[in-house]
Amino acid sequence: MDPVRYRILGTTQALRPDGTAVPVGGARLRALLTVLALRPGRTVPVGVLVEEVWAGEPPADATGALQALVGRLRRALGAHAVASAEG
């Protein structure tokens, strides 16, 4: 599978190898993509993701909300684009 490119200056975007934009709708989803794109190839702890995506004001079920966002991001970019790790 060809890699997806990311643009995070200005409006966050994901681009397919042919240059077409991948729809990444919603501010929180774009925030998650930005947090992950800034740390390529590294595991990002849940606490860091929650803090960055919700800017210090997480929802009551932050872990569940984060899981839902990760699922949406995988559907948008492809399952291969976002990996999970234990803990």
Side-chain angles (χ1 to χ4, degrees):
M1 168 84 35
D2 291 324
V4 175
R5 293 182 304 150
Y6 306 103
R7 292 182 180 164
I8 57 175
L9 296 176
T11 301
T12 301
Q13 295 179 317
L15 303 171
R16 292 185 176 92
D18 66 3
T20 59
V22 177
V24 181
R28 301 238 189 270
L29 194 58
R30 288 189 304 273
L32 175 61
L33 175 58
T34 300
V35 173
L36 294 172
L38 287 170
R39 296 164 177 87
R42 292 185 280 170
T43 301
V44 183
V46 169
V48 171
L49 292 172
V50 168
E51 177 66 29
E52 294 288 329
V53 170
W54 281 278
E57 298 181 25
D61 182 14
T63 301
L66 180 62
Q67 287 175 342
L69 279 178
V70 169
R72 286 179 52 204
L73 191 58
R74 284 184 173 138
R75 283 189 296 280
L77 302 178
H80 67 282
V82 181
S84 294
E86 284 284 324

